[in-house]
Amino acid sequence: LLDALSDLVVIAFERIRLARDVDQAKMLAETEKLRTALLTSISHDLRTPLASILGSITSLRSYSNLYDATTREELLATAQEETERMSRFVNNLLDMTRLDSGALAPRLEACDLHDLVGSALNRTKKLVAQHKISVHIPQDMPMLMLDFMLMEQVLVNLIDNAAKYAAPNTTIEVAAQMHRYALALEVRDQGPGIPEEDVLRIFDPFFRVKQADSKTAGTGLGLAVCRGFIQAMGGRISASNRRDSNGAVFTIEFPSRIVAKTLAPTETAA
Ligand code: ADP
């Protein structure tokens, strides 16, 4: 019996070792896939805007006297937009690196959701200039313990996507609701929505939906950053499709313990 048992133990250990090898091989393959995606993305997402900026500046310097004011303004605007795009990409890349290395420690403070959404909308003003924006946040929404900057970045990424994938003149909605156990914050658009088979994968780094208009520039990093930030603050984020119309819904949920403890009236008076 002892011999049989020791055989079993040996087999079990062998299985564990094999499983570990398989896991390690899987992890290595995943890392390798990420590395390739990262390199492709960097070369594409930095080279394209760089070429465009260089083109605009070179034209301006070489032929400035031939251009009228409108053309000069257009060339400058292109250079500015492309620089902003590159800067968004580099920021997302840095955020991903901070998330991966565990160097991201959220600084939770009592935040007013109205301020947060207002600030995110202010930062996306130019991107959503051709869309209608509708915000629904209850007046009595309590203060929430969140990292203002991380939360603002998440909203910026979601609003940026809504504006990118949904046609001009459609409405982007930002809505919040406080339930007994949770806060739910949604960003809804009237775009093409997300194929059901991709609703989980779109949060993976560098994942982009195949059918996505190839002309829509993107890095596939925005949502990965959103997920990392939300999880770091103790919440979760998911994607689904609207039932009432076309379009995607991104839902962020936090447990009700993120409600900031307000001082009791006696403490305030003291
Ligand atoms: P990017 O937009 O830079 O490609 P993201 O990580 O923000 O990267 O999004 C990943 C993919 O998810 C996008 O490429 C797109 O296919 C899909 N996606 C994101 N937001 C939306 C949306 N609001 N509507 C439809 N598809 C979306």
Side-chain angles (χ1 to χ4, degrees):
L1 182 69
L2 270 182
D3 278 352
L5 268 180
S6 77
D7 280 355
L8 271 179
V9 171
V10 171
I11 292 170
F13 274 116
E14 184 60 11
R15 288 252 166 97
I16 291 171
R17 196 183 61 75
L18 279 176
R20 215 184 286 137
D21 285 354
V22 169
D23 273 355
Q24 264 180 2
K26 254 201 220 148
M27 253 174 65
L28 273 179
E30 279 294 308
T31 315
E32 191 51 38
K33 228 168 68 188
L34 262 182
R35 212 172 65 96
T36 316
L38 181 64
L39 286 177
T40 320
S41 174
I42 289 178
S43 47
H44 178 263
D45 292 293
L46 289 183
R47 270 171 67 191
T48 317
L50 267 177
S52 167
I53 295 165
L54 190 62
S56 301
I57 294 178
T58 311
S59 303
L60 268 172
R61 290 199 67 194
S62 313
Y63 311 109
S64 181
N65 48 348
L66 301 180
Y67 293 144
D68 57 18
T70 320
T71 315
R72 277 204 296 271
E73 180 50 35
E74 274 169 11
L75 285 168
L76 278 173
T78 306
Q80 183 179 347
E81 274 161 30
E82 294 297 330
T83 311
E84 282 167 359
R85 176 188 301 178
M86 231 164 55
S87 146
R88 278 203 295 278
F89 173 70
V90 172
N91 282 338
N92 273 335
L93 211 56
L94 285 176
D95 289 340
M96 277 304 298
T97 322
R98 283 199 297 156
L99 279 169
D100 266 358
S101 63
L104 185 94
R107 289 181 35 200
L108 303 181
E109 53 179 341
C111 298
D112 179 344
L113 202 55
H114 295 93
D115 283 354
L116 249 171
V117 172
S119 183
L121 284 172
N122 197 33
R123 270 183 56 196
T124 45
K125 220 165 30 196
K126 269 204 284 180
L127 304 167
V128 298
Q130 293 175 311
H131 290 77
K132 290 174 232 153
I133 304 288
S134 137
V135 179
H136 312 270
I137 304 173
Q139 272 314 316
D140 57 356
M141 178 61 72
M143 300 289 271
L144 304 167
M145 294 305 286
L146 293 168
D147 182 312
F148 195 97
M149 273 166 47
L150 297 191
M151 197 60 203
E152 187 192 70
Q153 187 58 46
V154 169
L155 288 171
V156 166
N157 286 2
L158 293 180
I159 297 167
D160 180 7
N161 275 350
K164 216 159 62 175
Y165 297 106
N169 286 320
T170 55
T171 305
I172 299 170
E173 288 173 60
V174 183
Q177 258 185 323
M178 192 77 217
H179 302 294
R180 209 161 135 216
Y181 300 109
L183 161 84
L185 181 63
E186 290 192 344
V187 176
R188 311 181 196 122
D189 63 48
Q190 296 175 325
I194 296 146
E196 288 301 334
E197 65 271 23
D198 292 332
V199 288
L200 290 176
R201 290 196 297 169
I202 53 169
F203 294 98
D204 290 347
F206 303 110
F207 182 83
R208 304 199 70 208
V209 172
K210 278 219 177 59
Q211 298 94 309
D213 180 359
S214 55
K215 275 179 272 162
T216 318
T219 59
L221 279 179
L223 289 179
V225 166
C226 288
R227 184 176 59 183
F229 282 6
I230 293 294
Q231 285 178 347
M233 288 183 282
R236 61 178 182 205
I237 181 168
S238 57
S240 57
N241 287 301
R242 297 175 73 136
R243 303 202 185 281
D244 55 336
S245 74
N246 284 343
V249 185
F250 286 85
T251 308
I252 298 167
E253 287 166 298
F254 284 106
S256 56
R257 68 180 139 81
I258 69 152
V259 170
K261 303 249 177 317
T262 44
L263 294 176
T266 45
E267 286 172 295
T268 335

